[in-house]
C-alpha cells in the first residue's frame, strides 16, 4: 500500500490525498515537471497495474490514465512542458505531447538510459530525439527522429556504422559514441552536430573504458582506463571540438557505485571555473590533488595549521597533507562527502583526514572559504552539512546510526556553531529535504522514533534566526587566488560575500556581483598540445610516437592552419597579450602531403556480409590532403567507384553484393604528391538453411568411406565444416563438403557435421553400422506405397521398422537393417549383417550369413513379404527391378548435358565391369569384405549358381549403379570415378 500527502505551507500541515488518487492505487514514483512546477505526474506500481495520474494544480486533484505498457523512467523536455519520453520495462520508447494523456511508440529496442531530447541552438527541430537502439539486423545504432515521425523510414542514422551497446552520450555541444573492432575500442565525437571525427588519444593509451566527466565551456574532461590499469583512470582534457586530447592527470582512483556504475574520484568545484579536486593513486597511496587551471597543474592540499582544539598540526608537504572523500552521495537526502554551491563561490565543505594518504576510518569534516587554498577542521566526526540562504549559513547534522535530537547552525562559514534541538524525542534520521525555494531557509527532516514506528516529518524553519535583510554594509569582498597568484584562468576575480557572523538574510535578489578583468598571458595559461608532453623544464616536447609530419593534424580535417608551437591556450582561459602570440597556434597554409596510412574497414568491423545486404565501407587516411586527394574503391565484383575528394565518403560507401564468395576490396588514394593503397578481403555469404548428411547405412571396418554434407542453398559461399566421429571431442575441420573416413570400431558409429556460414551454424547427425562384412539388396514396393509417402525422414524410419518386422521370422533382429531412400518411387536397401562377436569364427559366420540371405531372397522372389501400412492398404515388397532410386535427399537440378555424360560413363563402366567379371567368373551376389592379405579371396560367393540366381543377381548390381543418376552431379561423377578405380570393391551407398 502507499499514501500520498500534500502540504501547502512548507510542511507545517499535511493533507492525505489517497481518496484523490484511488484508495486501492499503489504509487511508485512522483515526478514534477522541470518547466512548470504546477504539473505533477504519479506512476502506479507496475506489479499491480499500469497507469499514471496527472495533476495540473500542484497536486490538488488528479486524473488517472491507464497504459498498455509499464513505465520504467520518464524524461521531460527541457523547454516544452507537455513533451515527455517514457521508457518501458521491455525496452520500448514512447513519446507524449500532452503530458502523458496519449502515448505513441517510437522504437521497440532502445538501450536503457540512452535516449536524449534535442539541444536548443544545435538541433534544428525541438522535438528531435537522439537514441541508441538495436535495429532489425541485430546491431546497435545511433538513430534520430522526431517524436511524431519515428517510423523506420523517417529515422536517420547520423553515424553510418553500428556502435557499441551503452556508448551513446549526447551532452551539450557534443555527441560521443564507441566502436570496438578486433578487441580495440575507438571513440568518435560530433561537435555542434558536425560529422563524426575519431577522438585522438595518445598513440599507446589503448583505452579499455572511457567516461565523459564534463563538457562545460566548450571542452571535454574525460576519464580513460588504459590497457594497464584496473582500479584507476587517467584524466584527459580536449580541444574545443573534443577531438584532440592531452593528459591532465594519471592514476585517478575509481570505484563501483551501488548499482555497479563506475565512480571516478574527481570533483568540479561549483561557482568558479577551472577548479577541480582529484584523488590520485601514488605508490599505492591515495592522495588528494587540486588544480586551478583545468588540469594543467596539480598540487597536494595544504593541511590546516591547527586542529579543533587550536593546537598546531605538524604536517609538512609533501609527506603530509589533507585528503578528502570526493564521491557524491547516491542518497539524495544526505549532503554527501563534499559539497559546494554556485551561489556560494569559494566555499567548500568535505569529509577527509590529515596524513600521508586518504583514510576511511580516521575522518573529520573540513571547510575552505577561499576556493581550496586553505582549510579548517570543523568536526572530528562525520556530519551532513547543508547550505542555507544562498550559502550565507550552514546547518550540520551528525551522520550516525543512533537517534539524535540536535543540529548546529553557523553564520561565519563554520568558525563557530550554535546548537539547536529540532525534536523533543530522539529521532533515527533517514534524511532531510532542503527546499530549493524561499531563500532556502526551510528544512524537512524525516525519520522514525523506533524501528517499528511510522515515519516522522519534522519541519525546521530558520527564518527567525535571520534578524533582517542584508544591506550593502553587511558585505565584504573576496579575491580569488591560487596560492597568492591573483590570476586564475586568465582573470582577476573579486566576489561579494556576507561578512562572517552577520545574521542577515540575503534574499531572492542576492547576487555575487563578480568583478573580473583579464590578465596578461603567461606560460601557465597554456597547455601542451596533442602529441606533446610537458617536461620538468615546462617545455612541451613531442612524444616519442609523435612524428613531425603529424604536426599538420588540422590539415587532415579540412582546416587551413596547423599548430607548430606545441602549445595551446587552455579552453575558457581569458588572458590577453603577453605570451599569447608566442604560444598561440600559427595560422599557416597547410603543406601538401602525399596520402599515407590508408585504411579500409566495414562499418560494423566485420569481414563477413550476407548476400543482398548493404555493405558499408569506411575509408580512413592518417595523413594527406583530404580535399585534394582522389579516392577509388574497387568492390572486387567488377564494380568500382571514384570520388574527387574525401567529402562524399565520410559517412561510408555502400554496396550490395549479388553473389556469394570472397571478394578483394581495394581502396586507392592519389594526389599530385603520391598515392597509397589498402586491401580488405570480404566474405559474402548466403545464410545456410539446411544440411543433409549423406552417409552409408553400413560400412566395412577399416575401409575408407566417403561422407558428404549436402547444404541448401547450394551457392552459400565459403563454408566451414566441422566433423565429429563416434565419441571424439575434437572435430575435424574442412572447407570441403566431403570427407573420407575409416571406421575402426564395429557397431553403431555416430557421425555429426556442423556447417558454419557467416553467423549461422547448422547441424545434422547420422548413424553408421560398421561390420567386418555384410550383404545388401535393393528393394522396391507395390505402387500404392508412393501415394502415402510424404518423403520425410521420420516416415522413412517408421516404414523401415515395419518392413523389418514383415521379413521372415527366426532371424535375429540385429542382423537385419532396412533403410528407405528419399524421393519417389519409394525404394529401400536391405542389409544382412553378421552376428555380433563373430571375428574368431569368420568362415562359419559367412556360411550362416549366406543361409540368411538365401531365406530372405527366396521369400522376396516369391512375393511373400508384405505389410499393412494402414487398414486396407497392403504393400508388397519386391526385389528391385532396373529402376531409378535416388541416393541422397537433394533438390539440386542437373543439366541435361551433365546427365548424358554421367550415363555415358555409367554404361562404359558397365561394359568394362561385365567383361571384367566374365573373365574372372565370380558370382554376381557378393559379400563385401575388407581385403586383409594379398592371397585372400577378394569376393566370396554367397548363393549357388542355380537357375533362379540370375533373377536377382543382375538387377542387384545394375540397380545400385542406376541410382547414381538421381545423385547431385558432382557426387555422381565422384562415385563413378571411384567405381572405375576399384571395380572389385566399389560399393554405392
Amino acid at each position: 500500500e502507499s499514501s500520498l500527502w500534500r502540504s501547502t505551507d512548507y510542511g507545517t500541515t499535511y493533507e492525505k490525498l489517497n481518496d484523490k488518487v484511488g484508495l486501492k492505487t499503489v504509487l511508485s514514483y512522483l515526478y514534477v515537471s522541470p518547466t512548470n512546477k504546477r504539473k505533477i505526474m504519479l506512476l502506479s506500481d507496475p506489479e499491480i497495474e499500469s497507469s499514471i495520474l496527472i495533476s495540473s494544480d500542484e497536486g490538488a486533484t488528479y486524473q488517472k490514465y491507464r497504459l498498455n505498457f509499464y513505465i520504467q523512467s520518464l524524461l521531460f523536455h527541457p523547454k516544452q512542458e507537455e513533451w515527455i519520453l517514457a521508457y518501458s520495462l521491455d525496452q520500448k520508447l514512447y513519446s507524449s505531447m500532452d503530458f502523458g494523456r496519449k502515448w505513441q511508440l517510437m522504437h521497440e529496442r532502445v538501450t536503457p538510459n540512452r535516449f536524449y531530447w534535442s539541444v536548443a541552438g544545435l538541433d534544428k527541430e525541438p522535438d528531435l530525439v537522439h537514441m541508441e537502439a538495436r535495429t532489425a539486423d541485430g546491431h546497435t545504432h545511433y538513430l534520430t527522429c522526431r517524436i511524431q515521425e519515428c517510423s523506420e523510414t523517417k529515422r536517420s542514422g547520423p553515424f553510418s556504422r553500428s556502435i557499441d551497446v551503452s556508448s551513446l552520450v549526447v551532452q551539450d555541444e557534443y555527441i560521443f559514441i564507441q566502436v570496438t573492432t578486433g578487441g580495440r575500442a575507438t571513440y568518435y565525437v560530433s561537435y555542434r552536430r558536425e560529422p563524426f571525427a575519431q577522438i585522438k588519444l595518445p598513440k599507446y593509451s589503448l583505452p579499455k573504458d572511457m567516461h565523459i566527466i564534463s563538457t562545460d565551456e566548450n571542452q571535454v574532461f574525460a576519464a580513460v582506463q588504459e590497457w594497464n590499469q584496473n582500479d584507476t583512470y587517467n584524466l584527459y582534457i580536449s580541444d574545443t571540438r573534443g577531438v584532440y586530447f592531452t593528459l591532465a592527470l594519471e592514476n585517478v582512483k575509481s570505484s563501483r557505485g551501488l548499482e555497479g556504475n563506475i565512480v571516478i574520484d574527481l570533483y568540479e568545484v561549483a561557482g568558479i571555473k577551472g577548479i577541480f579536486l582529484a584523488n590520485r593513486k601514488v605508490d599505492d597511496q591515495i592522495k588528494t590533488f587540486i588544480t586551478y587551471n583545468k588540469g594543467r597543474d596539480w598540487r597536494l592540499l595544504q593541511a590546516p595549521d591547527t586542529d579543533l582544539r587550536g593546537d598546531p598540526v605538524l604536517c609538512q608537504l609533501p609527506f603530509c597533507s589533507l585528503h578528502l572523500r570526493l564521491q557524491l552521495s547516491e542518497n539524495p537526502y544526505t549532503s554527501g562527502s563534499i559539497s559546494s554551491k554556485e551561489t556560494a563561490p569559494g566555499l567548500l565543505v568535505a569529509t577527509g583526514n590529515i596524513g600521508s594518504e586518504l583514510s576511511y576510518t580516521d575522518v573529520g569534516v573540513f571547510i575552505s572559504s577561499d576556493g581550496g587554498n586553505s582549510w579548517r577542521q570543523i568536526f572530528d566526526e562525520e556530519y551532513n552539512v547543508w547550505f542555507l540562504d544562498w550559502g550565507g549559513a550552514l546547518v550540520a547534522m551528525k551522520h550516525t546510526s543512533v537517534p539524535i535530537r540536535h543540529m548546529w547552525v553557523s553564520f561565519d562559514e563554520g568558525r563557530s556553531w550554535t546548537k539547536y534541538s529540532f525534536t523533543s524525542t530522539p529521532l533515527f534520521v533517514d534524511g532531510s529535504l532542503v527546499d530549493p525555494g524561499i531563500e532556502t531557509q526551510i528544512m524537512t527532516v524525516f525519520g522514525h522514533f523506533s524501528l517499528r514506528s511510522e515515519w516522522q516529518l519534522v519541519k525546521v524553519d530558520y527564518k527567525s534566526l535571520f534578524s533582517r535583510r542584508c544591506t550593502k554594509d553587511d558585505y565584504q569582498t573576496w579575491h580569488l587566488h591560487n596560492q597568492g597568484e591573483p590570476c586564475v584562468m586568465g582573470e582577476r576575480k573579486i566576489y561579494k560575500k556576507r561578512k562572517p557572523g552577520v545574521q542577515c538574510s540575503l534574499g531572492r535578489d542576492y547576487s555575487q556581483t563578480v568583478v573580473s578583468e583579464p590578465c596578461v598571458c603567461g606560460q601557465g595559461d597554456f597547455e601542451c598540445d596533442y602529441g606533446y608532453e610537458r617536461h620538468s623544464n615546462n617545455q612541451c616536447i613531442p612524444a616519442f610516437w609523435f612524428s613531425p609530419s603529424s604536426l599538420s593534424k588540422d590539415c587532415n580535417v579540412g582546416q587551413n592552419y596547423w599548430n607548430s608551437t606545441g602549445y595551446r591556450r587552455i579552453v575558457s582561459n581569458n588572458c590577453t597579450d603577453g605570451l599569447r602570440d608566442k604560444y598561440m597556434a600559427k595560422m599557416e597554409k597547410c603543406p601538401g602531403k602525399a596520402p599515407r596510412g590508408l585504411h579500409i574497414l566495414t562499418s560494423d568491423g566485420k569481414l563477413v556480409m550476407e548476400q543482398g545486404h548493404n555493405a558499408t565501407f569506411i575509408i580512413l587516411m592518417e595523413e594527406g590532403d583530404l580535399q585534394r586527394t582522389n579516392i577509388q574503391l574497387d568492390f572486387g565484383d567488377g564494380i568500382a567507384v571514384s570520388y574527387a575528394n574525401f567529402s562524399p565518403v565520410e559517412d561510408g560507401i555502400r554496396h550490395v553484393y549479388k553473389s556469394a564468395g570472397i571478394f578483394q576490396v581495394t581502396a586507392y588514394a592519389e594526389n599530385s604528391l603520391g598515392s597509397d593503397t589498402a586491401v580488405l578481403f570480404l566474405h559474402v555469404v548466403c545464410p545456410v538453411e539446411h544440411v543433409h548428411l549423406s552417409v552409408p547405412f553400413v560400412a566395412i571396418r577399416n575401409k575408407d568411406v566417403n561422407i558428404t554434407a549436402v547444404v541448401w542453398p547450394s551457392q552459400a559461399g565459403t563454408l566451414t565444416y566441422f566433423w565429429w566421429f563416434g565419441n571424439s571431442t575434437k572435430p575435424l575441420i574442412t572447407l570441403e563438403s566431403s570427407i573420407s573416413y575409416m571406421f575402426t570400431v564395429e557397431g553403431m558409429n555416430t557421425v555429426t557435421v556442423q556447417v558454419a556460414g557467416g553467423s549461422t551454424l547448422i547441424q545434422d547427425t547420422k548413424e553408421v553400422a560398421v561390420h567386418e562384412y555384410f550383404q545388401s539388396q535393393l528393394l522396391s514396393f507395390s505402387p500404392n506405397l508412393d501415394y502415402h509417402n510424404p518423403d520425410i525422414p521420420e516416415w522413412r524410419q517408421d516404414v523401415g521398422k515395419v518392413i523389418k518386422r514383415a521379413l521372415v521370422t527366426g532371424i535375429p533382429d540385429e542382423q537385419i537393417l532396412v533403410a528407405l531412400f528419399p524421393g519417389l518411387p519409394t525404394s529401400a536397401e536391405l542389409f544382412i549383417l553378421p552376428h555380433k562377436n563373430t571375428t574368431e569364427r569368420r568362415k562359419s559366420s559367412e556360411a550362416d550369413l549366406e543361409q540368411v540371405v538365401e531365406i530372405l531372397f527366396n521369400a522376396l522372389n516369391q512375393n511373400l513379404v508384405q505389410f499393412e501400412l494402414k487398414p486396407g492398404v497392403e504393400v508388397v515388397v519386391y526385389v528391385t527391378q532396373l529402376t531409378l532410386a535416388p541416393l541422397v535427399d537433394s533438390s539440386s537440378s542437373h543439366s541435361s548435358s551433365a546427365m548424358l555424360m554421367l550415363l555415358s560413363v555409367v554404361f562404359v563402366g558397365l561394359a568394362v565391369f561385365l567383361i571384367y567379371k566374365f573373365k574372372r567368373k565370380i558370382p554376381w551376389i557378393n559379400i563385401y569384405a575388407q581385403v586383409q592379405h594379398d592371397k585372400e579371396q577378394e569376393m566370396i560367393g554367397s548363393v549357388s549358381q542355380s537357375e533362379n540366381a540370375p533373377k536377382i543377381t543382375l538387377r542387384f548390381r545394375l540397380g545400385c549403379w542406376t541410382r547414381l543418376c538421381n545423385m547431385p552431379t558432382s557426387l555422381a561423377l565422384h562415385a563413378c570415378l571411384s567405381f572405375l578405380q576399384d571395380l572389385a570393391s566399389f560399393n554405392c551407398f
Side-chain angles (χ1 to χ4, degrees), residues 523-748:
Q523 192 177 51
D525 297 309
F526 296 85
E527 60 189 358
C528 292
D529 204 348
Y530 172 76
Y532 288 82
E533 297 173 343
R534 185 147 57 96
H535 287 232
S536 56
N537 59 358
N538 264 336
Q539 295 299 311
C540 293
I541 307 299
F544 76 95
W545 49 265
F546 193 63
S547 63
S549 60
S550 298
L551 294 176
S552 55
K553 58 182 176 63
D554 291 309
C555 295
N556 291 335
V557 291
Q559 303 295 329
N560 61 352
Y561 68 91
W562 59 289
N563 190 353
S564 61
T565 65
Y567 286 91
R568 66 184 184 195
R569 188 169 65 167
I570 298 172
V571 176
S572 70
N573 185 293
N574 295 324
C575 70
T576 60
D577 302 328
L579 299 177
R580 179 178 179 180
D581 292 338
K582 177 180 179 181
Y583 289 131
M584 285 294 288
K586 300 297 187 295
M587 297 293 292
E588 299 181 8
K589 184 178 180 180
C590 285
K593 300 178 65 177
R596 191 184 71 82
L598 191 67
H599 302 280
I600 179 173
L601 60 156
T602 58
S603 59
D604 58 4
K606 297 181 179 179
L607 299 179
V608 178
M609 180 64 60
E610 288 189 11
Q611 175 186 332
H613 286 64
N614 257 324
T616 303
F617 298 98
I618 307 297
I619 300 178
L620 304 174
M621 188 169 64
E622 295 179 5
E623 293 183 15
D625 188 347
L626 300 184
Q627 303 303 317
R628 289 183 288 274
T629 298
N630 298 323
I631 298 295
Q632 296 179 12
L633 184 62
D634 187 337
F635 299 108
D637 61 350
I639 300 176
V641 293
S642 60
Y643 302 92
N645 55 58
F646 258 80
S647 298
V649 304
E650 290 179 344
D651 294 330
I653 303 173
R654 293 176 174 84
H655 182 65
V656 176
Y657 287 90
K658 298 181 179 180
S659 60
I662 302 177
F663 297 91
Q664 177 177 317
V665 185
T666 305
Y668 181 75
E670 181 184 31
N671 61 21
S672 59
L673 298 177
S675 62
D676 197 6
T677 303
V679 175
L680 177 148
F681 292 93
L682 184 69
H683 292 243
V684 178
V685 299
C686 180
V688 287
E689 299 181 13
H690 177 71
V691 58
H692 172 79
L693 184 57
S694 177
V695 299
F697 299 112
V698 184
I700 296 175
R701 188 171 73 90
N702 293 329
K703 186 172 182 64
D704 285 336
V705 294
N706 289 324
I707 299 173
T708 301
V710 182
V711 176
W712 190 90
S714 59
Q715 303 299 322
T718 304
L719 302 176
T720 305
Y721 298 83
F722 302 86
W723 309 87
W724 281 270
F725 295 93
N727 296 321
S728 62
T729 57
K730 293 183 178 180
L732 298 175
I733 303 175
T734 69
L735 295 177
E736 300 294 332
S737 61
S738 296
I739 190 172
S740 179
Y741 186 76
M742 179 187 296
F743 294 96
T744 59
V745 179
E746 283 193 80
M748 299 305 295

Side-chain angles (χ1 to χ4, degrees), residues 502-514:
V502 176
Q503 295 186 212
C504 62
S505 174
L506 295 176
R508 290 178 184 268
D509 56 351
Y510 168 70
S511 173
Q512 298 95 358
T513 316
V514 178

Side-chain angles (χ1 to χ4, degrees), residues 286-303:
I286 304 300
K287 300 175 181 289
T288 303
F289 290 78
I290 190 170
T291 178
Y292 287 84
N293 50 14
K294 218 170 186 180
R296 182 193 187 275
D297 302 289
W298 296 84
R299 61 176 174 83
L300 292 167
L301 290 181
Q302 178 67 54

Side-chain angles (χ1 to χ4, degrees), residues 228-328:
N228 57 352
Q229 294 179 305
N230 294 314
D231 57 354
T232 61
Y233 280 69
N234 289 348
L235 294 181
Y236 284 89
I237 196 76
S238 79
D239 60 351
T240 300
R241 295 174 53 250
V243 174
Y244 295 98
F245 282 76
T246 57
L247 182 65
L249 186 66
E250 291 182 300
N251 295 323
V252 177
K253 177 181 175 294
S254 67
S255 59
R256 291 278 180 182
L258 295 177
E259 298 181 358
N261 55 305
I262 296 294
V263 180
I264 310 296
D265 270 25
L266 178 72
Y267 180 78
E268 184 175 7
V269 176
I272 306 174
K273 68 178 182 180
I275 302 182
F276 289 82
L277 293 161
N279 280 332
R280 181 187 182 191
K281 190 174 184 180
V282 181
D283 297 330
D284 292 328
Q285 292 183 325
I286 304 300
K287 300 175 181 289
T288 303
F289 290 78
I290 190 170
T291 178
Y292 287 84
N293 50 14
K294 218 170 186 180
R296 182 193 187 275
D297 302 289
W298 296 84
R299 61 176 174 83
L300 292 167
L301 290 181
Q302 178 67 54
D305 295 330
T306 59
D307 58 18
L308 278 176
R309 294 177 296 276
D311 298 328
V313 175
L314 302 178
C315 183
Q316 297 294 323
L317 292 173
F319 308 103
C320 178
S321 58
L322 176 64
H323 309 285
L324 306 176
R325 298 184 189 177
L326 303 180
Q327 296 181 2
L328 297 177

Side-chain angles (χ1 to χ4, degrees), residues 352-517:
N353 66 279
I354 300 172
S356 59
E357 63 177 326
L358 180 64
S359 171
Y360 287 90
T361 55
D362 178 22
V363 297
V365 181
F366 299 83
I367 191 170
S368 175
S369 301
D370 56 4
N373 281 278
S374 62
W375 294 83
R376 292 174 282 108
Q377 187 171 0
I378 54 177
F379 297 107
D380 56 5
E381 294 180 275
E382 194 167 356
Y383 277 71
N384 286 309
V385 180
W386 292 273
F387 290 72
L388 296 179
D389 190 40
W390 314 107
L394 300 174
V395 58
M397 188 181 299
K398 191 173 183 180
H399 185 76
T400 178
S401 60
V402 300
I404 58 176
R405 298 174 52 200
H406 302 98
M407 58 177 57
W408 284 259
V409 178
S410 174
F411 287 92
D412 56 4
E413 298 179 341
R415 292 178 176 84
S416 62
W417 295 87
T418 303
K419 183 178 179 181
Y420 292 92
S421 175
F422 66 92
T423 175
S424 57
T425 304
L427 184 73
F428 288 94
V429 176
D430 294 313
S432 64
L433 296 167
V434 178
D435 196 309
I438 307 301
E439 295 96 36
T440 321
Q441 295 176 351
I442 295 175
M443 285 182 64
T444 300
V445 181
F446 62 94
H448 50 279
F449 291 131
S450 69
L451 296 177
R452 296 183 178 180
S453 67
E454 296 181 348
W455 273 10
Q456 307 294 320
L457 296 180
V458 180
K459 175 185 178 181
V460 183
D461 191 341
Y462 299 94
K463 290 181 182 178
S464 61
L465 299 180
F466 299 94
S467 57
R468 55 183 174 80
R469 287 278 185 174
C470 294
T471 64
K472 63 179 182 179
D473 295 331
D474 297 317
Y475 296 101
Q476 65 180 13
T477 58
W478 170 67
H479 296 252
L480 174 65
H481 65 93
N482 175 14
Q483 289 187 317
E485 169 55 52
C487 290
V488 176
M489 293 295 287
E491 291 180 297
R492 289 187 180 89
K493 292 186 177 180
I494 302 174
Y495 295 88
K496 182 180 70 173
K497 57 172 33 177
R498 184 170 42 190
K499 293 178 180 178
V502 176
Q503 295 186 212
C504 62
S505 174
L506 295 176
R508 290 178 184 268
D509 56 351
Y510 168 70
S511 173
Q512 298 95 358
T513 316
V514 178
V515 176
S516 64
E517 58 181 16

Side-chain angles (χ1 to χ4, degrees), residues 949-963:
K951 187 176 181 180
I952 61 175
T953 55
L954 182 61
R955 292 167 186 160
F956 166 65
R957 177 56 75 178
L958 292 183
C960 185
W961 295 343
T962 54
R963 283 166 46 220

